[in-house]
Amino acid sequence: VSESQNLSNFGGCDAAVPPRTAAAARPPIVVSSTEIDASLRTPLLALFGGAAYWLVVSSVLAMIASIKFHAPDFLAACSWLTYGRVQPAADDALLYGFCIPAGLGVALWLFAQLGQAPLRGAIVPVVAAKLWHLGVLFGLVGILSGNSTGFAWLEFPRAGSVVLFFAYLLLALWVMMNFAARRERALFPSHWFLVAALLWFPWIYSTANLFLVAWPARGVVQFAINSWFASNLLFVWLALVGIGAAFYFLPKFSGRPLQSHYFALFAFGTLVLFGTWCGIPPGAPLPAWMPTLSSVAATLTVVPVLAVGIITWQSLCGSTHCEPKGGPFCFIRFGLASFVLSSLMLIAMTCPRISRVTEFTWFGPAQTQLQLYGFFAMTMFGAIYHLLPRVAGFEWPFPKLARVHFWISLLGVALLVLPLAIGGVEQGLKLNHPDTVFMDALKATLPFLRVSTIGLMLLLFGNLLFALNISGLTFVWEKSLVKKAFAAVAAPLNTGEVRA
Amino acid sequence: MKNGTLIFLAAFLALGGSWCGFVLAPQLQLGGAKQTTILNSSDVYPVARPGGANLGLQAYRANGCAACHTKQVRQDGVACDVILVNSGTNRMAVQAAAQAFNPALPGLIGSRQTILQHVSKADADAANVKISTAGGKAEISIIATGLDIIARGWGLRGSVAEDFLYDNPVQLGSLRAGPDLADEASRLPDANWQLVHLYAPRSLVEGSMMPPYRYLFEVRKIGSKPSPDALILPPELTVAGYEIIPKPEAKELAEYLLSLHVDTPLPDAPVTPPGGSYATVGGESQAGSGEDAMFARGRAVYGSLCGLCHGNDGLGKPGQVPPLAGSEWVNNKGVQRIARIALAGISGKIQAEGRDWNLSMAAMGAALSDADLAAVLTFIRQSWGNQTGTVTADEVQAVRAAVGARPQPMTADELKTLPE
């Protein structure tokens, strides 16, 4: 169970780069992987445990939203479950409930492992994790009760946002303190990605909340800020965390160093340089320079996306490592492939000619789902399946279900994204045809929407398996705690003392 | 990696750059935006919404309408029509000037004649100069082009930043799982229609995917006096002894929807509101020539308004909405009856195509301009096998004047007293 890898494999340092000549002169590092893992146990179980529940909640909400395309009357009398509330709630539960805490947990583990530094003061991240999940609860209840802010990907009302923000600051602070206290001074590609992500979130989140909710900007400035925020959170932040994590696991699983260190730095640099400018849709009622600039930036974002694709390909090529089908590595490979595909979809959507067809159609949600679920969530599943047994000190209670989870998710993502994307193009082509009546264009999307419900159903099932495994693991761990406590209490109770 | 600090700084600059670009710069450029002046008018645009409509925006936000509806009209560009309003004293010179630009022009006929259609702004200006030099007087009518505008009839021009000055939150939407709502008030101006549509969308729009918003309404036993707010429902939804009352949120939402317009000409988004250019295309000579501008406009208006109930095949809905194809109420010689139905609505028992109907149609055409109503009536009278003549804006105007501000809908008996 323990992390048996030699340090030289961490982060997949290029063999040609001698980053640790200085480190070699220092006394050997004495911290064992097990000790580091043990220090992370409670924070990670708190983060991932809550995240798994939100994942299931998100799936259930998404299913309710999707069923409304089969029967618009479904739960129509309940204001809390009307489509316009359930749909954003499902999206936010996935993003804020699962993706971000999972990303933070994986980042916490990676920093501790790469820096060879056990986490100090684990109680603070535990409290922060609970606080984060409480914030998500506030936010979701807010949306469902009709108190959404109305801004895409920022729907959580003020109470939820404030709690989330401070929970994030606490978590990020602890990650950064662990980073500062690292014993292995060398920096790895994952470090750049994750440090940038840790700093970028509070920046964009506070900007969006201050200028959209607290002191709202006037008119379409709101739309510019909202688009910038959504794109930076969904595309840039998730890419930084997901790719950062994947670049750690890629060499570890494939048994080959990352190809290469410098190319990864190049991908990182171009991603933060170009990717951050994406997001303003081509037809927006804004001064023309904004959508134009965004289109140019999106076109240039092809560079980091292809770089990630090439790094992945070259790091996998010739890998002799053989992993059982459906294991953590499968999740991460699928995640990386989805990243390239979803990013290319995003870039295509900003090209004016293509956007004439895809804008305002289901192609957009298809891209978002592939990015959130196909890329990020799948990468996180892989990471969590790998690290949580090591951290908790127990094997997964249902290892076979983890494999089933992979295959079901793969099928689920395909059945969710493909129909939406094809239906979106169909809808766009029909809408662009002057002789097609609007309702006919909408009706043409219905069969596709209904197939996507099957995809959501599979994802719900997969997520249940994931939550079951995590709860099982937590239960086993708690049981061992109780046993230990009981043993501790029971042990001194020898008859002599009691009588005395 | 030794260059950690350097990498960190570079990344910081790159991230901060996008903040300056898409947060700071828009705020500097647009944050202090003020009302603009409407083109050819001293009025300012936009004006703040009245309180009810403003509350309605919050209902729009709370119920997530933007999840399925956009509120932005896309525009491709503009085209211009040149309309001769006065041929002056030297008719021959003006005719020569006009024919220099449009050799196909048969000659000068009557007042307000379209000389050039769908040309660029530069060509239109050149023709205008030529005609005024020859002693005539011409007007240029600017038409915004684009599918949203021409084929869907979702507005008269593309949405611009000014349209959203008083929106908070700004809800542009990103998915059209339902129609664009930017110009909803011009398209469907009837408050009862909007409320019934919220209560039971599929009773009005066949095959609608919109979920019903029944929780915004109250079902009440009719007391000693029926509530003035009660919905006027289609017969299949009416329950004897009960009435449906919209809650304040629903009324505000409807009020908000009825405040949505994209038809104001602005300096940076010029359009000519309907009122002449379409109705006088080529005078009477173009009647029945198929896909001319008037017919196309009529189809756009029909598709976004009438077709919701009467169907895009003009066949109506069995038992609820009578067909327009082959109907004796449509194919009259004159326009008195059909124009009155559109302008005042109709209620009560009526016989059409040998069947009995019990109708409650709102005054759906009342908010349309004369030109648009003429276009849509022409479209109806020349489609699905109907072969009756065109309707002109002047005829519509005459009927509108006769109808006046009539609050109650027409009845079949009343219509029968009118000349065919």
Side-chain angles (χ1 to χ4, degrees):
Chain A
V1 171
S2 80
E3 196 75 0
S4 61
Q5 292 273 11
N6 185 298
L7 185 66
S8 67
N9 267 352
F10 286 144
C13 250
D14 200 328
V17 183
R20 122 178 25 81
T21 36
R26 281 194 227 123
I29 292 155
V30 288
V31 181
S32 76
S33 253
T34 327
E35 189 189 332
I36 296 168
D37 279 334
S39 73
L40 294 165
R41 189 171 296 148
T42 42
L44 291 194
L45 280 173
L47 276 169
F48 297 149
Y53 287 118
W54 288 129
L55 191 64
V56 174
V57 168
S58 153
S59 289
V60 171
L61 292 173
M63 274 296 291
I64 293 175
S66 190
I67 289 174
K68 286 174 191 272
F69 287 105
H70 300 251
D73 277 339
F74 179 66
L75 298 176
C78 176
S79 66
W80 282 52
L81 295 175
T82 189
Y83 182 84
R85 297 184 188 179
V86 170
Q87 182 56 51
D91 284 342
D92 282 354
L94 179 58
L95 177 65
Y96 291 98
F98 176 74
C99 291
I100 295 180
L104 287 172
V106 170
L108 193 59
W109 184 79
L110 279 180
F111 275 102
Q113 289 293 339
L114 289 172
Q116 289 293 291
L119 188 74
R120 308 253 169 260
I123 183 72
V124 176
V126 171
V127 171
K130 300 279 180 201
L131 210 56
W132 176 278
H133 291 308
L134 185 72
V136 175
L137 180 68
F138 282 174
L140 290 181
V141 169
I143 295 177
L144 294 177
S145 62
N147 290 305
S148 143
T149 62
F151 295 107
W153 300 104
L154 193 74
E155 285 94 350
F156 285 177
R158 210 174 294 195
S161 303
V162 170
V163 173
L164 286 188
F165 186 70
F166 284 105
Y168 184 95
L169 284 190
L170 271 183
L171 270 168
L173 189 68
W174 245 247
V175 179
M176 291 310 284
M177 275 165 57
N178 182 264
F179 178 57
R182 68 194 187 279
R183 299 177 194 204
E184 168 57 61
R185 300 305 296 178
L187 289 180
F188 302 95
S190 299
H191 276 126
W192 315 320
F193 283 89
L194 292 172
V195 170
L198 281 175
L199 296 178
W200 195 218
F201 180 84
W203 193 340
I204 59 173
Y205 197 63
S206 59
T207 296
N209 272 300
L210 290 179
F211 300 135
L212 294 179
V213 184
W215 303 291
R218 292 178 74 211
V220 283
V221 180
Q222 292 186 357
F223 183 68
I225 296 176
N226 193 187
S227 306
W228 169 84
F229 164 76
S231 161
N232 271 290
L233 183 55
L234 256 65
F235 179 62
V236 179
W237 196 87
L238 293 187
L240 286 173
V241 176
I243 299 297
F247 279 181
Y248 170 86
F249 288 107
L250 208 53
K252 183 177 267 308
F253 287 138
S254 70
R256 261 167 70 85
L258 199 65
Q259 308 286 331
S260 67
H261 219 73
Y262 288 111
F263 203 27
L265 179 59
F266 171 75
F268 166 72
T270 45
L271 179 67
V272 292
L273 190 59
F274 303 136
T276 45
W277 290 82
C278 299
I280 311 277
L286 286 167
W289 65 267
M290 291 184 215
T292 311
L293 199 57
S294 239
S295 284
V296 173
T299 314
L300 290 169
T301 308
V302 171
V303 174
V305 170
L306 290 186
V308 168
I310 292 168
I311 292 168
T312 309
W313 183 259
Q314 292 195 334
S315 303
L316 290 177
C317 256
S319 154
T320 50
H321 192 90
C322 192
E323 205 216 24
K325 295 273 176 233
F329 195 22
C330 292
F331 281 99
I332 291 189
R333 274 184 304 193
F334 182 83
L336 283 166
S338 299
F339 171 75
V340 175
L341 189 61
S342 74
S343 307
L344 291 178
M345 279 167 82
L346 180 79
I347 291 159
M349 280 165 65
T350 61
C351 164
R353 286 189 65 149
I354 299 174
S355 106
R356 290 302 295 177
V357 176
T358 56
E359 196 179 21
F360 304 145
T361 70
W362 286 99
F363 193 82
Q367 191 275 333
T368 313
Q369 291 300 322
L370 187 60
Q371 194 162 312
L372 276 175
Y373 213 103
F375 157 56
F376 194 79
M378 291 295 263
T379 308
M380 290 301 118
F381 291 147
I384 293 171
Y385 276 131
H386 171 79
L387 66 87
L388 204 55
R390 290 164 170 76
V391 167
F394 296 98
E395 272 306 335
W396 288 110
F398 315 106
K400 270 192 190 141
L401 292 189
R403 302 246 159 88
V404 176
H405 180 200
F406 173 73
W407 292 110
I408 282 189
S409 299
L410 180 118
L411 204 60
V413 169
L415 278 178
L416 172 64
V417 172
L418 280 179
L420 287 185
I422 299 168
V425 172
E426 168 99 1
Q427 181 190 8
L429 290 173
K430 285 224 153 102
L431 282 179
N432 276 4
H433 199 285
D435 287 336
T436 311
V437 178
F438 180 73
M439 274 308 289
D440 290 348
L442 286 193
K443 281 178 193 162
T445 64
L446 267 184
F448 296 101
L449 290 173
R450 288 172 183 170
V451 173
S452 76
T453 312
I454 304 174
L456 282 173
M457 212 145 62
L458 289 173
L459 288 178
L460 169 64
F461 186 57
N463 293 340
L464 277 172
L465 298 183
F466 178 70
L468 185 70
N469 245 330
I470 287 204
S471 333
L473 193 67
T474 315
F475 179 72
V476 172
W477 171 67
E478 279 166 354
K479 207 170 78 179
S480 79
L481 279 189
V482 171
K483 249 188 204 160
K484 231 186 264 169
F486 184 74
V489 172
L493 278 179
N494 65 49
T495 46
E497 274 177 39
V498 171
R499 266 178 207 158
Chain B
M1 267 292 139
K2 288 171 213 123
N3 306 326
T5 323
L6 198 68
I7 295 170
F8 176 76
L9 273 179
F12 184 83
L13 282 179
L15 298 170
S18 87
W19 187 87
C20 294
F22 284 153
V23 176
L24 192 61
Q27 175 62 25
L28 293 178
Q29 189 181 358
L30 297 169
K34 294 197 172 61
Q35 293 165 312
T36 42
T37 316
I38 297 174
L39 206 62
N40 303 326
S41 155
S42 58
D43 294 341
V44 288
Y45 178 85
V47 287
R49 289 196 178 81
N54 228 359
L55 290 171
L57 171 60
Q58 299 313 319
Y60 190 91
R61 164 192 63 74
N63 293 295
C65 305
C68 295
H69 294 281
T70 55
K71 244 174 15 190
Q72 42 181 328
V73 184
R74 293 187 295 190
Q75 179 176 344
D76 291 340
V78 292
C80 295
D81 289 357
V82 179
I83 303 154
L84 186 66
V85 285
N86 187 352
S87 53
T89 45
N90 192 348
R91 277 179 68 94
M92 290 315 288
V94 172
Q95 182 169 340
Q99 278 171 338
F101 284 93
N102 182 5
L105 198 72
L108 296 189
I109 33 164
S111 61
R112 287 198 74 86
Q113 179 183 6
T114 302
I115 289 170
L116 284 176
Q117 223 187 327
H118 295 135
V119 294
S120 70
K121 184 83 172 64
D123 287 354
D125 284 339
N128 192 12
V129 169
K130 257 292 183 32
I131 287 166
S132 41
T133 329
K137 188 171 180 303
E139 278 175 10
I140 297 173
S141 159
I142 302 171
I143 301 137
T145 58
L147 275 164
D148 287 0
I149 299 161
I150 302 293
R152 307 274 167 238
W154 282 339
L156 280 184
R157 56 163 171 79
S159 295
V160 289
E162 287 92 325
D163 296 333
F164 305 96
L165 194 60
Y166 288 116
D167 281 17
N168 184 31
V170 172
Q171 303 244 285
L172 290 181
S174 61
L175 176 69
R176 283 180 179 165
D180 190 273
L181 298 181
D183 199 36
E184 183 72 357
S186 316
R187 229 158 50 88
L188 294 156
D190 182 40
N192 186 61
W193 191 94
Q194 293 289 355
L195 286 168
V196 173
H197 183 248
L198 280 172
Y199 179 71
R202 279 190 289 181
S203 72
L204 294 178
V205 181
E206 200 199 337
S208 168
M209 298 185 218
M210 180 164 128
Y213 289 83
R214 283 196 288 270
Y215 60 85
L216 295 177
F217 297 84
E218 233 175 287
V219 183
R220 237 192 260 163
K221 235 187 178 129
I222 301 179
S224 54
K225 216 168 84 185
S227 163
D229 285 343
L231 299 189
I232 306 163
L233 289 166
E236 77 273 14
L237 287 180
T238 319
V239 180
Y242 286 88
E243 56 185 7
I244 311 292
I245 316 284
K247 290 183 187 167
E249 210 186 353
K251 282 206 290 197
E252 288 154 8
L253 183 54
E255 201 177 326
Y256 170 68
L257 292 173
L258 296 188
S259 76
L260 295 171
H261 285 280
V262 188
D263 52 4
T264 321
L266 299 175
D268 59 345
V271 279
T272 304
S277 60
Y278 280 113
T280 51
V281 175
E284 296 290 317
S285 60
Q286 294 211 350
S289 67
E291 293 286 343
D292 62 7
M294 186 180 186
F295 194 77
R297 178 72 192 160
R299 184 174 52 195
V301 176
Y302 182 89
S304 65
L305 198 65
C306 324
L308 297 178
C309 293
H310 288 285
N312 288 295
D313 47 10
L315 293 178
K317 275 184 242 170
Q320 295 172 35
V321 187
L324 298 175
S327 168
E328 63 267 39
W329 296 95
V330 171
N331 295 298
N332 296 124
K333 255 186 252 122
V335 299
Q336 291 289 338
R337 294 184 180 178
I338 187 172
R340 266 196 178 66
I341 296 177
L343 285 166
I346 184 166
S347 74
K349 298 220 180 316
I350 186 171
Q351 258 212 338
E353 298 194 24
R355 271 168 292 168
D356 288 316
W357 307 85
N358 194 0
L359 300 184
S360 67
M361 170 178 154
M364 301 302 287
L368 293 175
S369 68
D370 293 341
D372 273 352
L373 186 51
V376 74
L377 293 181
T378 302
F379 170 77
I380 292 171
R381 281 153 63 102
Q382 293 180 359
S383 303
W384 324 294
N386 294 345
Q387 286 176 344
T388 326
T390 47
V391 179
T392 64
D394 293 340
E395 287 174 302
V396 170
Q397 199 188 358
V399 178
R400 197 192 289 269
V403 170
R406 178 194 166 101
Q408 79 277 28
M410 307 294 295
T411 61
D413 295 336
E414 232 177 315
L415 285 173
K416 277 185 188 152
T417 63
L418 296 164
E420 283 225 343

